[in-house]
Amino acid sequence: MTQTPASPARFDVCAVGNAIVDVLAPCEPAFLESQGLTPGSMQLVDEGQSAALYDAMAAGVEASGGSAGNTVAGVGSFGGRAAYLGKVADDALGGVFAHDIRAAGVHFDTPALSGGAGTGRCLINVTPDGQRTMCTFLGAANQLTVADVDTAVIGDSAIVYLEGYLFDPAPARAAFEAAAAAAHAAGRKVAITLSDSFVVGRWRAELLDFITASADIVLANDAELTALFETEDFDAACDRLAALVETAAVTRGAEGSVVIRGAERVAVPAYPVDKVVDTTGAGDQYAAGFLLGLARGLPLAAAGRLGSLAASEVIAHWGPRPMTGLKALAEETGLALN
């Protein structure tokens, strides 16, 4: 059970996730087929597979990523107070990741890994419709352990946001569970993102157990939600989720999202964009707006609108993090944060 918080939080959101550098490149559907990749999926690859795919990809761009890292970068862009726990290596890509997340205004001081695997990377091939297909080499991100969980930072964060991808490596899952326990001991809320329908397929029972025992807030897209409950009935899946957690948000692409609290259901429209360039990071940025809104005590619908606004910004350009300050966009659209 969550305890009563002892004091106001220093951070709005602290995220725990896989620290990854993204490599994004355009491709045609035929390229995915030639590489044996399922369009729209995320799969884990080893270092050799990662190198071979990298060599085959078109020229692209490198950008610090990782799902939860993208989210706290979005929180920082809104002017929120964010922290991050994640493992990089003591190498060039690790330096890039650390610089980028700190430049976004995010507190990050997880010790870097020395003498082991390199910093994790995600190879993202984007088809002309903006859909992304991801192959991830976790590298050092896989080495996040309980020892890396800074309980002082966790306890000083209104919401602790956990990345579902951490269910894949066992040491990281243990860190994930330790972070949730520390958050509740300090009277803070625990949020989880389901991350990917393939993650749900691998760890359905474990995810349901964790959500039931430890989650206050769940974020998912419609495919992940229906996979979790093994049903194609979206409304029924929403009802089942509402019975497990206090608050939830389910994104539905161009249809917007549904935010849920008890019997309350609010349909939140997507903000229009001129052209969808790259959907990488859309769910991550939605989470940034939604969680920051909850941390600041906004009504459910307003938190959902902040999420939609952030998602609309990121899908209009390449890369998973905002290029336009989200705080200014929120002010322009009348979504003031207190």
Side-chain angles (χ1 to χ4, degrees), residues 87-260:
K87 201 76 168 176
V88 297
D90 185 13
D91 59 13
L93 284 180
V96 168
F97 183 93
H99 171 271
D100 287 353
I101 202 162
R102 290 170 183 150
V106 178
H107 175 86
F108 173 59
D109 63 2
T110 306
L113 180 69
S114 297
T119 295
R121 66 216 62 170
C122 182
L123 307 181
I124 305 175
N125 285 282
V126 184
T127 44
D129 61 357
Q131 185 181 60
R132 75 277 190 274
T133 300
M134 301 180 288
C135 291
T136 302
F137 167 59
L138 288 172
N142 203 15
Q143 302 304 312
L144 184 75
T145 69
V146 171
D148 295 310
V149 175
D150 188 331
T151 56
V153 171
I154 292 287
D156 222 1
S157 304
I159 297 174
V160 176
Y161 179 58
L162 305 173
E163 183 182 307
Y165 288 129
L166 287 173
F167 261 76
D168 280 306
R173 195 193 305 182
F176 184 105
E177 292 170 344
H184 280 155
R188 309 304 187 184
K189 299 294 186 182
V190 172
I192 180 174
T193 169
L194 298 186
S195 292
D196 185 277
S197 57
F198 291 85
V199 171
V200 175
R202 288 191 291 272
W203 303 109
R204 180 181 295 107
E206 292 86 351
L207 280 166
L208 279 169
D209 286 346
F210 180 86
I211 289 167
T212 302
S214 301
D216 304 294
I217 303 161
V218 168
L219 291 99
N221 64 30
D222 46 7
E224 294 156 3
L225 178 67
T226 54
L228 182 67
F229 293 112
E230 297 182 283
T231 178
E232 294 303 313
D233 187 331
F234 177 77
D235 291 333
C238 287
D239 289 343
R240 291 182 65 181
L241 184 59
L244 296 180
V245 295
E246 291 177 14
T247 306
V250 185
T251 57
R252 311 193 76 182
E255 296 180 43
S257 62
V258 176
V259 291
I260 301 165

